[in-house]
Every structure is written in structure tokens, then in C-alpha cells.
């Protein structure tokens, strides 16, 4: 398991090599990319901010839970933060598995949970000059334990 | 006791700080800290969600959580990674 | 759309770059890899054979149909043939899309159809010396038109 | 008329050829060609599936298909790409 938050470009091919082992018949790479529009507005650039220590722990926990539920081999997640422009890869999820069904399911679950639970935020800068913190997902907070 | 309170993204803009140290009575709950912090938002208090999401020592935590000296509390705006 | 059958190693990172455009927020890369076992037997190598002209046409048709059903951008499929050993990438499906849901669905449908319909065969060589044409899927044949 | 018939993978082993040219009466169907070809499998005919999958000019085609001079017919064993 390899989970990082980084300010540098993500080495996608390196993550593929890192997760694959001889027992795996499938490797799935999801790459999230900065696109040029959001809800009808032209996007020029993004700044990602992170609560780094917690984010890495959260991503590791997500990977552990997903690995326990699906028959997968190695997992890797790399999330980029800092200033990104259109076309830059913001996140890569790499999943290796003996069979493809588990790879697709695990990959999908990891990206959904990364988007929904990990303390990372993005500020979008639009071509029309505006700049806002992009609206996001509200993480679930565990119930208090009964006394 | 003293706890550290971190603000990120939109909340950093609202509170005008990345981090503040708070002096709280022993045995204070997270709920009490949230009330204290909310009062510092001034005119911006209205834009804060009714239920703030908060992490204690890097774990999302319920408002009933009893805080301890040295805890790291973070107010977590809606997340938007990926 | 870029569909090839090749005897050379597949350039996965090149396919990612090829499909991505500024309108896309997600790129999904599926890589099929030769694994070291099949139904309990240790696999040493594989030879892929292809009915090349038909295979390329079929893959193109699959991509066209999938592109018409899901909101995707560019698609690329590369299938390697010839002699492969454990760890070699045999097939790559690259799908770019504005949103990830379409990317996952389209990618999955393409790989299922490539495996079920495209005239490609593999001969497995086992560590115990055996060698067999791997059992496969029987493609659907269209019904005859009523006179 | 003359049609080309291609054999791949396991079928190439069974028929001992990659390709044969067949002379057929005008208006022959794919079904007739399949019977003709099946007869050439000799002792191996038993291992051929009861319903052979066949492509005509690179498209999977039903047995009722009427063949034309110059057609390229291919017997397609179960496929195993990916």
C-alpha cells in the first residue's frame, strides 16, 4: 500500500509498475484531471489545499478497508496539491488484482471515498476572473459512543 | 487546558487564521469548543453550516467527545478532493 | 478513436496522453496483464494469435457503440499479440470522459466485449510443460434476416 | 464460385491448414460450406462444437447467409482476448 500527498506531478506509469505483481491479471488506473469547465464556467486553474497528516491517514484507512473487502493485490493512491492548471492530473488510484471485477469495484470505491472523506479542498479560478472554494462533500462523523 | 484549533480553506478565510490556541476548562467537550469558536466568526457566523464537521487528533469526532490538554482540533469544511 | 493490434509493448502513458482532452475530468486505464497462474496451473508464457483485420474492425465497432451510449471523450484500445511472458501487458483500454461514472462504465463494457467478441486467441504454456489453447467465449452470431 | 476459408488457433491445428480455397456451386449458403468443411476435419470432427461460429468478410454471419464468389470465410474458435 502506497498513499501519498505530493506537490509534484504524479508518475502514473510508476504507480502501475509499483502495484503490479505476477499474481495479477488486471491493473486499473484512475486519473482525475483538471478540466476546463465546472457547472458552465470556464476554469483556468485550481489550487488544492490539504490537511496533510490527516489526509494521508484517511487515504491509508480507506485503502485498508477496501483491500479487506475485495480480492485485490497492491493499491496506490497519489493526490497532488498546490497550484494545478487544466490538464494536470490531480489524483491517481492504482489497483492491481488477480481478476478485473475486483479491480473495477475497488478502484471505484476508493475514488468515491477519497472525494467524500479526505480533508482536501480546491479553490477554482475562472477565466472570468472569479475565484471560489469549490463546494464539496460533508464527511460522515461517527456517532458518539453510548456512555 | 489548552487545545490547538486548525482552520482550512474557506474556514481559514472566515476566521482569518490558520490556527488558534484555545484555553478551555478541564473536561470540555468538542461541542463547547465549537460554540466558543463559532462566536469568533463574527459577521461570518451566518455562513457556517449548522453542523460543523470537526476532527480531533486527525479523526472525525462527534460533538460529545471530551477534549484533553494538547488535542489537535480541526474544523473541516466540505471536502473536495479528487 | 484509436484501436490497434500490435506485436510491440503497449505504451500505456502514451495512450493516457492520447485520449485526454481539456474537457475531461477523468481518464481510466485498464491494463490486462499476463499472470502467473490459471485455474491452479503455473503459467510461464502466452502466445496470442489474432485475425487481425477483423479484430481491429470489431474493436472499432465496439468503441463506436460504447461511445454512442456513454458520455465519453476519446477512447483507445491496444491489444498486443505474439509471445508474451508473465507481467507483460496484453491489452490496454483508455477512456477519457468529463465525469468518472461514464469512464468506469464505458471501460468495463469495452473490456467485456473485447474478451467476448474479438477474434483473438491465446495459447498458454505451463511450467509443467503442457501447452493448450485457452478455453474462450463463444461470440453471438446475428440472426438471419427474414426473407 | 470460389471462396477462401481461414482457420485460426485450435481450428488451424485441427484442419492442419491456415487457409483453403473451396469450390462451391453458385448460391451456396454458409451452412453448406460448414458441412463441407466439417467433413474435412476427419477424426477431429468430434471435437468441433455443434454450432460453429463463422465470419463472412470479417462479420459474424448466420448459416443462412448466401455466399458470393471471392468471399472470405473464417471459422472462429471460442475467443480469448484480453
Amino acid at each position: 500500500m502506497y498513499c501519498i500527498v505530493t506537490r509534484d506531478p504524479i508518475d502514473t506509469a510508476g504507480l502501475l509498475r509499483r502495484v503490479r505483481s505476477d499474481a495479477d491479471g488486471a491493473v486499473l488506473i484512475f486519473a482525475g484531471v483538471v478540466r476546463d469547465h465546472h457547472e458552465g464556467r470556464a476554469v483556468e486553474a485550481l489550487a488544492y489545499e490539504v490537511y496533510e497528516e490527516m489526509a494521508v491517514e484517511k487515504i491509508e484507512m480507506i485503502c485498508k478497508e477496501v483491500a479487506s473487502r475485495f480480492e485485490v493485490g497492491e493499491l496506490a493512491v497519489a493526490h497532488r496539491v498546490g497550484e494545478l492548471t487544466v490538464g494536470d492530473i490531480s489524483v491517481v488510484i492504482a489497483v492491481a488484482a488477480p481478476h478485473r471485477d475486483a479491480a473495477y469495484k475497488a478502484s471505484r470505491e476508493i475514488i468515491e471515498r477519497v472525494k467524500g472523506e479526505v480533508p482536501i479542498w480546491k479553490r477554482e479560478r475562472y477565466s472570468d476572473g472569479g475565484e471560489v472554494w469549490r463546494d464539496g462533500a460533508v464527511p460522515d462523523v461517527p456517532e458518539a459512543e453510548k456512555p | 487546558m489548552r487545545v490547538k484549533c486548525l482552520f482550512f480553506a474557506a474556514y481559514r478565510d472566515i476566521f482569518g487564521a490558520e490556527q488558534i490556541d484555545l484555553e478551555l476548562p478541564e473536561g470540555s467537550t468538542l461541542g463547547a469548543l465549537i460554540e466558543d469558536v463559532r462566536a469568533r466568526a463574527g459577521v461570518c457566523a451566518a455562513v457556517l453550516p449548522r453542523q460543523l464537521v470537526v476532527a480531533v487528533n486527525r479523526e472525525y469526532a462527534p460533538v460529545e467527545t471530551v477534549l484533553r490538554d494538547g488535542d489537535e482540533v480541526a474544523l473541516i469544511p466540505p471536502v473536495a478532493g479528487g
Side-chain angles (χ1 to χ4, degrees), chain A residues 140-146, chain B residues 61-62 64:
Chain A
D140 280 339
V141 171
E143 295 276 321
E145 282 171 46
K146 292 268 149 49
Chain B
E64 294 85 353

Side-chain angles (χ1 to χ4, degrees), chain A residues 48-51 53-54 57-58 79 90-91 115-123 133 136-139 141-142 144, chain B residues 6-10 12-13 53-55 57-62 64 72-82:
Chain A
Y48 280 90
E49 181 174 326
V50 62
Y51 181 10
E53 305 84 346
M54 181 174 168
E57 285 179 22
K58 257 286 165 213
H79 202 303
S90 55
V91 62
K115 283 174 173 269
E117 301 173 28
V118 176
I120 294 178
W121 302 273
K122 52 176 163 255
R123 190 165 176 81
W133 288 105
V138 178
V141 171
Chain B
L6 308 177
F7 303 101
F8 292 96
R12 193 185 51 242
D13 297 348
V53 173
V54 182
N57 300 328
R58 304 169 195 172
E59 289 270 18
Y60 295 118
E64 294 85 353
E72 177 176 299
V73 173
L75 267 67
I76 309 286
V79 301

Side-chain angles (χ1 to χ4, degrees), chain B residues 3-76:
Chain B
V3 303
K4 188 162 74 170
C5 188
L6 308 177
F7 303 101
F8 292 96
Y11 292 175
R12 193 185 51 242
D13 297 348
I14 288 173
F15 290 94
E18 285 192 5
Q19 175 181 338
I20 56 174
D21 286 334
L22 289 170
E23 201 65 52
L24 295 171
E26 288 296 325
S28 291
T29 61
L30 187 54
L33 174 142
I34 291 171
E35 271 181 58
D36 184 337
V37 166
R38 206 185 269 279
R40 294 163 185 255
V43 292
C44 293
V47 304
L48 288 174
R50 264 199 305 166
Q51 305 248 328
L52 281 167
V53 173
V54 182
V56 177
N57 300 328
R58 304 169 195 172
E59 289 270 18
Y60 295 118
V63 290
E64 294 85 353
T65 307
V66 175
L67 297 173
R68 292 195 187 142
D69 187 53
D71 276 350
E72 177 176 299
V73 173
L75 267 67
I76 309 286

